[in-house]
Amino acid sequence: DAKTTQPTSMDCAEGRAANLPCNHSTISGNEYVYWYRQIHSQGPQYIIHGLKNNETNEMASLIITEDRKSSTLILPHATLRDTAVYYCIVRSSSSPQGGSEKLVFGKGTKLTVNP
Amino acid sequence: DGGITQSPKYLFRKEGQNVTLSCEQNLNHDAMYWYRQDPGQGLRLIYYSQIVNDFQKGDIAEGYSVSREKKESFPLTVTSAQKNPTAFYLCASSATGGGNTQYFGPGTRLTVL
């Protein structure tokens, strides 16, 4: 029941920018877009999140379209260690009544960075 | 990762035995979570706790039990009642309040023989 759609796989050359798209056409006004990645046999690693504005941190940039129906995660200079499955997740900014703040992970995009 | 530890990384048990997975965090987070991940699948929530001495069932709690006696610790017991216990188990924590980022531990891979 993931609310996002991502390509199954992508390739990128080492040193080039990796642009990972995500569609979230049913996103509502109080929902954030989160990105995590999971390297094989490790726990998911938080990358970045945003609501409306573009965001940048030491790991990546997040570009959210004006209508908020899609976003792109940008790794500016991909390295071999960026090879992982990248998950785009939509989650509310407020706690659900009587419920948990579980994260719903879809299948994600398998990014392979090639030498 | 980064302040959340899970041990051991790999665990093997015989069918019918209970096993307890450890999760510790030093991030001063009130909320802690246990997820299960099967090969090629997303994460499913087992149990979560928003405060010490309180916890709630997630989507797949049957066959599992937890305790939250200390803020830093949230151990998960996989009982013999769990039909398919072999999986990758992930612990996470976050500050309480809406929409706070969850941070994950490195995971424990449990194999039941």
Side-chain angles (χ1 to χ4, degrees):
Chain A
D1 56 347
K3 297 172 68 173
T4 61
T5 304
Q6 299 176 253
T8 302
S9 63
M10 293 183 64
D11 284 90
C12 177
E14 189 177 18
R16 304 297 293 265
N19 298 295
L20 291 89
C22 180
N23 287 322
H24 31 79
S25 58
T26 60
I27 193 170
S28 59
N30 70 342
E31 289 181 317
Y32 283 86
V33 179
Y34 273 77
W35 284 84
Y36 285 79
R37 72 180 182 185
Q38 188 173 25
I39 296 168
H40 183 63
S41 293
Q42 296 183 23
Q45 178 187 23
Y46 165 76
I47 302 173
I48 198 167
H49 73 282
L51 185 63
K52 289 192 291 189
N53 300 322
N54 298 336
E55 302 289 342
T56 295
N57 63 21
E58 64 278 4
M59 288 184 68
S61 294
L62 175 60
I63 309 297
I64 302 174
T65 58
E66 195 168 338
D67 64 7
R68 302 210 321 123
K69 292 185 177 182
S70 66
S71 61
T72 301
L73 178 75
I74 301 172
L75 308 178
H77 306 287
T79 70
L80 299 179
R81 285 184 289 185
D82 292 321
T83 292
V85 178
Y86 287 76
Y87 296 98
C88 170
I89 298 164
V90 165
R91 66 177 299 205
S92 175
S93 59
S94 58
S95 298
Q97 272 192 332
S100 72
E101 295 184 46
K102 69 179 179 184
L103 297 178
V104 179
F105 284 69
K107 296 289 179 68
T109 296
K110 166 74 172 150
L111 174 69
T112 302
V113 180
N114 300 304
Chain B
D1 62 82
I4 303 176
T5 58
Q6 291 185 244
S7 60
K9 187 166 177 63
Y10 298 96
L11 192 54
F12 296 88
R13 280 293 181 271
K14 292 183 179 178
E15 196 173 337
Q17 289 181 334
N18 291 355
V19 59
T20 298
L21 282 59
S22 166
C23 177
E24 304 276 332
Q25 54 97 2
N26 62 3
L27 301 170
N28 201 33
H29 285 164
D30 284 310
M32 296 187 74
Y33 311 80
W34 274 105
Y35 292 87
R36 168 184 171 138
Q37 186 175 34
D38 292 285
Q41 304 297 314
L43 277 64
R44 292 183 290 169
L45 183 67
I46 305 172
Y47 267 97
Y48 65 101
S49 167
Q50 292 178 316
I51 198 167
V52 174
N53 293 322
D54 184 57
F55 49 83
Q56 305 294 330
K57 293 181 180 180
D59 298 323
I60 55 164
E62 185 176 351
Y64 299 98
S65 66
V66 293
S67 63
R68 187 81 189 279
E69 296 175 2
K70 297 188 299 181
K71 187 175 185 176
E72 304 80 20
S73 178
F74 191 39
L76 172 75
T77 297
V78 184
T79 75
S80 56
Q82 168 51 232
K83 298 277 190 283
N84 298 296
T86 294
F88 190 43
Y89 290 88
L90 290 156
C91 178
S93 72
S94 72
T96 47
N100 281 301
T101 301
Q102 290 185 24
Y103 296 93
F104 286 82
T108 292
R109 187 167 300 281
L110 172 66
T111 302
V112 175
L113 306 171

